[in-house]
Amino acid sequence: MAIEKNFLIINKLGLHARAATQLAELAMAFDAKISLTQGDKTADADSVLGLMLLESSQGKEVLVRCDGPDQHAALSAIGNLIEAKFNEDE
């Protein structure tokens, strides 16, 4: 059964190319289907272009959904990355 959690995008530049690349690379490390949803748009977490098309800017909330053997670890790791502002210096 899939798990999901909402996260607030707090980094200044939002889910831009560098942040989307980091998230996609992290998502590929887990044995789970991971997606992000913002409003009526959903993207696979392993797709940089898909993530960028969500247009998740600072202050927007995204729903992260994970399903698979590594779902708990994946949700935790992705949540940590988002909460750490994608490791960006602002």
Side-chain angles (χ1 to χ4, degrees):
M1 182 172 203
I3 58 172
E4 55 188 36
K5 184 175 178 184
N6 286 307
F7 293 96
L8 185 65
I9 302 296
I10 55 176
N11 61 309
K12 188 176 184 178
L13 298 175
L15 195 49
H16 58 93
R18 212 169 332 143
T21 300
Q22 284 185 62
L23 200 154
E25 288 175 352
L26 181 61
M28 286 187 264
F30 295 99
D31 184 10
K33 177 164 176 44
I34 306 165
S35 63
L36 274 75
T37 301
Q38 180 188 298
D40 61 352
K41 298 178 186 177
T42 299
D44 289 334
D46 60 0
S47 169
V48 175
L49 182 58
L51 292 170
M52 290 179 60
L53 289 174
L54 291 176
E55 301 178 273
S56 299
S57 56
Q58 186 179 39
K60 297 279 179 94
E61 193 170 76
V62 294
L63 176 69
V64 179
R65 186 174 197 277
C66 302
D67 189 14
D70 293 341
Q71 65 188 25
H72 292 284
L75 186 63
S76 177
I78 290 171
N80 289 340
L81 180 65
I82 293 170
E83 290 169 352
K85 301 180 182 180
F86 298 94
N87 303 312
E88 294 177 356
D89 296 326
E90 295 187 292

